[in-house]
Amino acid sequence: ALRRLKPGSARADVWLLPAGESAPPKPLAETPFDQTAKFSPDGRWIALQSDESGKGEIYVTPYPGPGPKTKVSIDGGTNAEWSRDGSEIFHRQGWKLFAAAFDASRMVTVGRPQLLFEGPYQPEYDVARDGRFLMVRVDETHRTLGSINAVEGWFEELHRRVPLK
């Protein structure tokens, strides 16, 4: 999924770019609202951020549908991410990070979001395979504290320095 700005607007719709095809991108849904989306690990669900209620909220809906759009967040939500096994949907609300249990085995069941922690972190984050969160700490003016060093090819370097027998 990718975001495509609406002409003459700062708002965006969610568009789909077919993988491995030469087909052009197509809108998931064209609405007057600002939207972002994250696919579940199995590709059958979308966690959708939309400001259709007047503020950012997180919803979950089946892909490619049809099916209901179920609200996940309570009193606002941004930056949805899925747990690696698809059993939780995470989202931000200011400095807070919430988790809502997700079960699609029968009918869609979304648990009440539970506060995991709060702190001054960039809005964007990722969830590691082991469930830890990758987040960048900021100060109150949203400046990044410290630095991030990205090392390419570290796995190959490790094998060179510590060969397996």
Side-chain angles (χ1 to χ4, degrees):
L2 57 101
R3 292 184 77 204
R4 185 171 178 180
L5 290 177
K6 298 172 187 326
S9 172
R11 294 178 176 273
D13 278 323
V14 176
W15 284 62
L16 301 174
L17 182 62
E21 298 178 24
S22 60
K26 63 180 181 177
L28 177 66
E30 292 181 282
T31 71
F33 311 111
D34 194 30
Q35 300 182 16
T36 61
K38 292 285 183 158
F39 278 90
S40 64
D42 66 6
R44 296 178 40 222
W45 300 92
I46 297 175
L48 182 69
Q49 177 184 322
S50 175
D51 64 359
E52 64 192 72
S53 71
K55 62 181 168 185
E57 296 283 1
I58 305 299
Y59 303 87
V60 65
T61 188
Y63 178 80
K69 183 167 62 173
T70 305
K71 190 173 173 192
V72 175
S73 58
I74 298 173
D75 198 29
T78 62
N79 303 85
E81 291 287 347
W82 289 88
S83 64
R84 295 297 178 199
D85 64 3
S87 67
E88 291 180 293
I89 302 171
F90 305 107
H91 68 276
R92 299 287 304 265
Q93 186 184 69
W95 294 123
K96 299 175 182 177
L97 182 76
F98 288 88
F102 178 76
D103 182 8
S105 59
R106 285 181 262 149
M107 297 297 284
V108 176
T109 304
V110 178
R112 182 174 178 79
Q114 301 296 313
L115 177 65
L116 295 180
F117 58 87
E118 63 182 296
Y121 299 99
Q122 287 279 1
E124 297 79 19
Y125 62 98
D126 201 0
V127 184
R129 288 180 195 205
D130 64 4
R132 291 181 294 164
F133 295 92
L134 176 61
M135 305 179 89
V136 177
R137 192 170 183 83
V138 296
D139 66 13
E140 56 279 346
T141 64
H142 292 264
R143 288 187 313 212
T144 301
L145 299 176
S147 62
I148 297 174
N149 298 317
V151 179
E152 293 185 46
W154 70 270
F155 199 66
E156 291 79 12
E157 178 70 11
L158 175 65
H159 281 296
R160 189 181 66 73
R161 291 182 181 219
V162 186
L164 296 174
K165 297 178 182 178

